[in-house]
Amino acid sequence: MKIAVVGTGYVGLVTGTCFAEMGNTVYCVDTNEEKIAALNEGKIPIYEPGLEGLVKNNRKLGHLNFVTSLEEILEKVEIVFIAVGTPQGEDGSADLQYVKKVAETIGKNIRHHLYVVTKSTVPVGTAETVRKIIQAEIERRKPNMSLEELAACDFTFDMVSNPEFLKEGNAVGDCLKPDRIIIGVDSYEVGEVMRELYTPYVRNTEALIFMDIASAEMTKYAANAMLATKISFMNEMGRICELVGADVNKVRLGIGSDKRIGYSFIYPGCGYGGSCFPKDVKALIGKSKEFDYTPQILNAVENVNAAQKFVLPQKIFKRFGEDLTGKTFAVWGLSFKPDTDDMREAPSITLITELVKHGATVNAYDPKAMDEAKNFYLKDFSDKINYVESKYEALKRADALILVTEWKEFRQPDFAEIISLLNNPVIFDGRNQYDKKRLKKSGIEYHQIGVAD
């Protein structure tokens, strides 16, 4: 198939590359000329395991193309995936300005039948909005066209909702071997086109789940809201465990053994971040308010998560006092999760901001996200943050270690080395990675989430 994927962020770049991997001809479109030029030189703007090799190979085979103009390639393709960003608006709702611009471009240039697929995370009703915009642009064109031009054009198109379920850090695997593919369509015939496209990715055809468009749009938000709810629920249990003297790690094992609950997403921590959960929970709250409904559970999920990001700073203030002048803290991990350089809504931002505001200096190390921190998220604190090249270098002259992101290289560190390098053998573990008894025997003062100090 010949496919256009508009947008070269995480979703667009990974999706387009994986379509190309199966032999389709793919045009990834982005109006950012510098970004497209870099991609054509083999430079990948994001860190995602396995992506760079696939991009280079499919570029070499001619399956994957990077262009700046949708207008120029629209006649060459049969399917257009809209995978542009839907940033959070001021009121918390999804900002659809980029989605609407793509719809306008399609309407102004369509000359043959197209399947228009919303891949971006968008509120219920967006596909219908896109449909109306495309049709309105088509109707504006018709009075200015000759009979011959009208006869030569096919202005028909079908809308599809095909939300993404890619986990950063495993996006390529999720795309090539998905556990489910949600497809929202209006007709059986359109569904069969999408089935043809996706069958190479699934051995079990039950993984292809067809439904109406509105339900497909809602499924994406409901999935992320459920996962965010599990995280916030477990973090709230952790807060209660600390108050009553229980150990949330043991509670997690106890409830996770119940098959109705399971172990996924019930790990206590210092809060969730990233591009999906925070934005999607807020967007679903915003959409609900359009219908005069206040979602109580979702509001609680958001509030618990916002408060959770202050748990580590509060533990540090309790141990060292609120005036941290002259203190240095080693921070392991800046990205919101391992195996990505994404720092959007990362707990590390709240932590480091609080430390610096209270007078501390930070030695920060992350395998992939330090440029993001330097150039964007923590650029205002450059005089108070030392970015170092290794996890052990971060410990030098530091008064405590704070683990924020559970990268693999942090899982089994040399605790004797940690003790020798820190001014004080103190660890604040925001992901409950280590064994409390072992650290206590080693002489390390160890603070966890959900366990009383």
Side-chain angles (χ1 to χ4, degrees), residues 187-221:
S187 69
Y188 173 82
E189 291 75 17
V190 178
E192 288 305 289
V193 173
M194 298 303 291
R195 186 188 300 277
E196 179 184 351
L197 173 63
Y198 276 116
T199 295
Y201 299 87
V202 290
R203 293 183 178 180
N204 179 6
T205 55
E206 292 181 359
L208 289 170
I209 303 174
F210 292 89
M211 59 185 70
D212 61 277
I213 289 175
S215 296
E217 291 173 328
M218 185 63 189
T219 297
K220 170 63 176 180
Y221 280 101

Short mmCIF file of all heavy atoms in Angstrom, two decimals, residues 187-221:
data_model
loop_
_atom_site.label_atom_id
_atom_site.label_comp_id
_atom_site.label_asym_id
_atom_site.label_seq_id
_atom_site.Cartn_x
_atom_site.Cartn_y
_atom_site.Cartn_z
N SER A 187 -18.13 1.31 7.93
CA SER A 187 -18.65 0.28 7.02
C SER A 187 -17.73 -0.93 6.99
O SER A 187 -16.54 -0.83 7.31
CB SER A 187 -18.79 0.84 5.60
OG SER A 187 -17.51 1.07 5.03
N TYR A 188 -18.29 -2.05 6.61
CA TYR A 188 -17.53 -3.29 6.49
C TYR A 188 -16.41 -3.14 5.46
O TYR A 188 -15.29 -3.61 5.68
CB TYR A 188 -18.48 -4.42 6.08
CG TYR A 188 -17.77 -5.72 5.77
CD1 TYR A 188 -17.37 -6.59 6.79
CD2 TYR A 188 -17.47 -6.07 4.45
CE1 TYR A 188 -16.73 -7.77 6.51
CE2 TYR A 188 -16.82 -7.26 4.15
CZ TYR A 188 -16.45 -8.11 5.19
OH TYR A 188 -15.79 -9.28 4.90
N GLU A 189 -16.71 -2.48 4.34
CA GLU A 189 -15.73 -2.35 3.25
C GLU A 189 -14.48 -1.60 3.71
O GLU A 189 -13.36 -1.99 3.39
CB GLU A 189 -16.37 -1.63 2.05
CG GLU A 189 -17.43 -2.42 1.32
CD GLU A 189 -18.76 -2.49 2.07
OE1 GLU A 189 -18.97 -1.66 3.00
OE2 GLU A 189 -19.58 -3.37 1.73
N VAL A 190 -14.68 -0.54 4.46
CA VAL A 190 -13.53 0.22 4.97
C VAL A 190 -12.74 -0.64 5.96
O VAL A 190 -11.51 -0.63 5.97
CB VAL A 190 -13.99 1.53 5.63
CG1 VAL A 190 -12.79 2.29 6.21
CG2 VAL A 190 -14.72 2.41 4.62
N GLY A 191 -13.46 -1.40 6.77
CA GLY A 191 -12.79 -2.28 7.71
C GLY A 191 -11.91 -3.29 7.03
O GLY A 191 -10.81 -3.62 7.52
N GLU A 192 -12.32 -3.79 5.87
CA GLU A 192 -11.53 -4.78 5.15
C GLU A 192 -10.23 -4.17 4.61
O GLU A 192 -9.21 -4.85 4.53
CB GLU A 192 -12.35 -5.38 4.00
CG GLU A 192 -13.45 -6.32 4.48
CD GLU A 192 -12.88 -7.44 5.36
OE1 GLU A 192 -12.19 -8.33 4.81
OE2 GLU A 192 -13.13 -7.41 6.59
N VAL A 193 -10.26 -2.90 4.25
CA VAL A 193 -9.03 -2.23 3.81
C VAL A 193 -8.04 -2.16 4.97
O VAL A 193 -6.84 -2.45 4.81
CB VAL A 193 -9.34 -0.81 3.29
CG1 VAL A 193 -8.05 -0.05 3.00
CG2 VAL A 193 -10.20 -0.88 2.03
N MET A 194 -8.53 -1.82 6.15
CA MET A 194 -7.66 -1.74 7.32
C MET A 194 -7.18 -3.13 7.74
O MET A 194 -6.05 -3.29 8.21
CB MET A 194 -8.39 -1.05 8.47
CG MET A 194 -8.80 0.39 8.18
SD MET A 194 -7.41 1.44 7.71
CE MET A 194 -6.53 1.52 9.27
N ARG A 195 -8.04 -4.12 7.54
CA ARG A 195 -7.63 -5.49 7.85
C ARG A 195 -6.46 -5.90 6.96
O ARG A 195 -5.50 -6.54 7.41
CB ARG A 195 -8.80 -6.45 7.67
CG ARG A 195 -8.49 -7.89 8.11
CD ARG A 195 -9.62 -8.84 7.72
NE ARG A 195 -10.89 -8.46 8.32
CZ ARG A 195 -11.25 -8.79 9.56
NH1 ARG A 195 -10.43 -9.50 10.32
NH2 ARG A 195 -12.43 -8.42 10.02
N GLU A 196 -6.53 -5.56 5.69
CA GLU A 196 -5.45 -5.89 4.75
C GLU A 196 -4.15 -5.24 5.18
O GLU A 196 -3.07 -5.85 5.11
CB GLU A 196 -5.84 -5.43 3.34
CG GLU A 196 -4.77 -5.72 2.29
CD GLU A 196 -5.12 -5.18 0.92
OE1 GLU A 196 -6.27 -4.73 0.72
OE2 GLU A 196 -4.23 -5.18 0.04
N LEU A 197 -4.24 -4.00 5.62
CA LEU A 197 -3.04 -3.28 6.05
C LEU A 197 -2.41 -3.91 7.28
O LEU A 197 -1.19 -4.07 7.36
CB LEU A 197 -3.40 -1.82 6.34
CG LEU A 197 -2.28 -0.95 6.95
CD1 LEU A 197 -1.10 -0.82 5.99
CD2 LEU A 197 -2.83 0.43 7.32
N TYR A 198 -3.23 -4.33 8.24
CA TYR A 198 -2.70 -4.76 9.53
C TYR A 198 -2.51 -6.26 9.70
O TYR A 198 -1.84 -6.69 10.65
CB TYR A 198 -3.62 -4.25 10.65
CG TYR A 198 -3.31 -2.83 11.06
CD1 TYR A 198 -4.23 -1.80 10.88
CD2 TYR A 198 -2.08 -2.52 11.64
CE1 TYR A 198 -3.95 -0.50 11.27
CE2 TYR A 198 -1.78 -1.23 12.04
CZ TYR A 198 -2.72 -0.22 11.86
OH TYR A 198 -2.42 1.06 12.24
N THR A 199 -3.05 -7.05 8.82
CA THR A 199 -2.91 -8.51 8.97
C THR A 199 -1.46 -8.98 9.10
O THR A 199 -1.17 -9.89 9.88
CB THR A 199 -3.62 -9.24 7.81
OG1 THR A 199 -5.03 -8.99 7.90
CG2 THR A 199 -3.39 -10.74 7.88
N PRO A 200 -0.49 -8.39 8.37
CA PRO A 200 0.89 -8.84 8.53
C PRO A 200 1.46 -8.66 9.95
O PRO A 200 2.48 -9.26 10.28
CB PRO A 200 1.67 -7.97 7.54
CG PRO A 200 0.66 -7.57 6.51
CD PRO A 200 -0.61 -7.40 7.28
N TYR A 201 0.80 -7.86 10.77
CA TYR A 201 1.33 -7.57 12.10
C TYR A 201 0.74 -8.47 13.18
O TYR A 201 1.21 -8.46 14.32
CB TYR A 201 1.03 -6.11 12.48
CG TYR A 201 1.68 -5.11 11.55
CD1 TYR A 201 1.03 -4.70 10.38
CD2 TYR A 201 2.94 -4.59 11.82
CE1 TYR A 201 1.61 -3.80 9.52
CE2 TYR A 201 3.53 -3.68 10.95
CZ TYR A 201 2.86 -3.30 9.80
OH TYR A 201 3.44 -2.40 8.93
N VAL A 202 -0.30 -9.23 12.84
CA VAL A 202 -0.96 -10.03 13.86
C VAL A 202 -1.16 -11.46 13.38
O VAL A 202 -1.72 -11.71 12.31
CB VAL A 202 -2.33 -9.43 14.26
CG1 VAL A 202 -2.13 -8.14 15.03
CG2 VAL A 202 -3.21 -9.17 13.05
N ARG A 203 -0.67 -12.42 14.14
CA ARG A 203 -0.93 -13.82 13.82
C ARG A 203 -2.34 -14.21 14.26
O ARG A 203 -3.00 -15.00 13.62
CB ARG A 203 0.10 -14.71 14.52
CG ARG A 203 1.52 -14.54 13.97
CD ARG A 203 2.47 -15.50 14.64
NE ARG A 203 3.81 -15.39 14.10
CZ ARG A 203 4.84 -16.12 14.51
NH1 ARG A 203 4.66 -17.02 15.47
NH2 ARG A 203 6.03 -15.96 13.99
N ASN A 204 -2.75 -13.64 15.37
CA ASN A 204 -4.08 -13.92 15.90
C ASN A 204 -5.01 -12.81 15.44
O ASN A 204 -4.93 -11.67 15.91
CB ASN A 204 -4.02 -13.96 17.43
CG ASN A 204 -5.38 -14.22 18.05
OD1 ASN A 204 -6.35 -14.47 17.35
ND2 ASN A 204 -5.44 -14.15 19.36
N THR A 205 -5.90 -13.13 14.50
CA THR A 205 -6.77 -12.11 13.94
C THR A 205 -7.72 -11.52 14.98
O THR A 205 -8.33 -10.47 14.74
CB THR A 205 -7.59 -12.67 12.76
OG1 THR A 205 -8.30 -13.83 13.21
CG2 THR A 205 -6.68 -13.05 11.62
N GLU A 206 -7.86 -12.17 16.14
CA GLU A 206 -8.70 -11.61 17.20
C GLU A 206 -8.09 -10.34 17.77
O GLU A 206 -8.78 -9.56 18.45
CB GLU A 206 -8.90 -12.64 18.31
CG GLU A 206 -9.75 -13.83 17.90
CD GLU A 206 -9.95 -14.82 19.02
OE1 GLU A 206 -9.41 -14.57 20.12
OE2 GLU A 206 -10.62 -15.84 18.80
N ALA A 207 -6.82 -10.11 17.49
CA ALA A 207 -6.18 -8.87 17.94
C ALA A 207 -6.70 -7.66 17.18
O ALA A 207 -6.50 -6.53 17.62
CB ALA A 207 -4.66 -8.98 17.79
N LEU A 208 -7.32 -7.90 16.02
CA LEU A 208 -7.96 -6.82 15.26
C LEU A 208 -9.36 -6.63 15.81
O LEU A 208 -10.22 -7.50 15.66
CB LEU A 208 -8.01 -7.17 13.77
CG LEU A 208 -6.68 -7.14 13.01
CD1 LEU A 208 -6.86 -7.74 11.63
CD2 LEU A 208 -6.17 -5.72 12.89
N ILE A 209 -9.59 -5.50 16.44
CA ILE A 209 -10.87 -5.24 17.08
C ILE A 209 -11.56 -4.10 16.35
O ILE A 209 -11.07 -2.96 16.36
CB ILE A 209 -10.69 -4.91 18.57
CG1 ILE A 209 -9.95 -6.06 19.28
CG2 ILE A 209 -12.03 -4.64 19.24
CD1 ILE A 209 -9.59 -5.76 20.72
N PHE A 210 -12.69 -4.41 15.71
CA PHE A 210 -13.42 -3.40 14.95
C PHE A 210 -14.60 -2.87 15.76
O PHE A 210 -15.26 -3.63 16.49
CB PHE A 210 -13.92 -4.00 13.63
CG PHE A 210 -12.82 -4.32 12.66
CD1 PHE A 210 -12.20 -5.56 12.68
CD2 PHE A 210 -12.38 -3.38 11.75
CE1 PHE A 210 -11.18 -5.86 11.79
CE2 PHE A 210 -11.36 -3.67 10.85
CZ PHE A 210 -10.76 -4.92 10.88
N MET A 211 -14.87 -1.60 15.62
CA MET A 211 -15.98 -0.95 16.32
C MET A 211 -16.35 0.33 15.59
O MET A 211 -15.73 0.68 14.57
CB MET A 211 -15.59 -0.67 17.78
CG MET A 211 -14.37 0.22 17.94
SD MET A 211 -13.87 0.41 19.68
CE MET A 211 -13.24 -1.22 20.07
N ASP A 212 -17.32 1.05 16.11
CA ASP A 212 -17.66 2.34 15.52
C ASP A 212 -16.59 3.37 15.86
O ASP A 212 -15.78 3.17 16.79
CB ASP A 212 -19.03 2.80 16.01
CG ASP A 212 -19.05 2.98 17.52
OD1 ASP A 212 -19.25 1.98 18.23
OD2 ASP A 212 -18.83 4.12 17.98
N ILE A 213 -16.59 4.46 15.14
CA ILE A 213 -15.52 5.45 15.27
C ILE A 213 -15.49 6.09 16.66
O ILE A 213 -14.43 6.22 17.28
CB ILE A 213 -15.65 6.52 14.18
CG1 ILE A 213 -15.28 5.91 12.81
CG2 ILE A 213 -14.76 7.73 14.47
CD1 ILE A 213 -15.48 6.82 11.63
N ALA A 214 -16.65 6.49 17.17
CA ALA A 214 -16.68 7.14 18.48
C ALA A 214 -16.15 6.23 19.58
O ALA A 214 -15.41 6.66 20.47
CB ALA A 214 -18.11 7.58 18.81
N SER A 215 -16.50 4.94 19.51
CA SER A 215 -16.02 4.00 20.52
C SER A 215 -14.52 3.79 20.43
O SER A 215 -13.83 3.64 21.45
CB SER A 215 -16.74 2.65 20.37
OG SER A 215 -18.12 2.80 20.62
N ALA A 216 -13.98 3.80 19.22
CA ALA A 216 -12.52 3.67 19.04
C ALA A 216 -11.81 4.87 19.64
O ALA A 216 -10.77 4.73 20.32
CB ALA A 216 -12.19 3.53 17.55
N GLU A 217 -12.34 6.06 19.40
CA GLU A 217 -11.73 7.26 19.98
C GLU A 217 -11.77 7.21 21.50
O GLU A 217 -10.80 7.56 22.18
CB GLU A 217 -12.47 8.50 19.46
CG GLU A 217 -12.25 8.78 17.98
CD GLU A 217 -13.11 9.90 17.44
OE1 GLU A 217 -14.24 10.08 17.93
OE2 GLU A 217 -12.66 10.60 16.51
N MET A 218 -12.87 6.75 22.04
CA MET A 218 -13.02 6.68 23.50
C MET A 218 -12.13 5.61 24.11
O MET A 218 -11.63 5.76 25.23
CB MET A 218 -14.49 6.40 23.84
CG MET A 218 -14.79 6.43 25.32
SD MET A 218 -14.50 8.05 26.06
CE MET A 218 -14.68 7.65 27.80
N THR A 219 -11.92 4.52 23.39
CA THR A 219 -11.11 3.41 23.91
C THR A 219 -9.71 3.87 24.30
O THR A 219 -9.17 3.44 25.33
CB THR A 219 -11.03 2.28 22.87
OG1 THR A 219 -12.34 1.76 22.64
CG2 THR A 219 -10.13 1.14 23.36
N LYS A 220 -9.11 4.72 23.49
CA LYS A 220 -7.77 5.20 23.79
C LYS A 220 -7.73 5.94 25.12
O LYS A 220 -6.88 5.69 25.98
CB LYS A 220 -7.29 6.11 22.65
CG LYS A 220 -6.01 6.88 22.94
CD LYS A 220 -4.82 5.96 23.16
CE LYS A 220 -3.54 6.78 23.35
NZ LYS A 220 -2.36 5.94 23.56
N TYR A 221 -8.66 6.86 25.30
CA TYR A 221 -8.70 7.62 26.55
C TYR A 221 -9.03 6.74 27.74
O TYR A 221 -8.45 6.89 28.82
CB TYR A 221 -9.72 8.75 26.43
CG TYR A 221 -9.19 9.96 25.68
CD1 TYR A 221 -9.52 10.17 24.36
CD2 TYR A 221 -8.35 10.87 26.31
CE1 TYR A 221 -9.03 11.26 23.66
CE2 TYR A 221 -7.85 11.97 25.63
CZ TYR A 221 -8.20 12.16 24.31
OH TYR A 221 -7.70 13.24 23.62
#
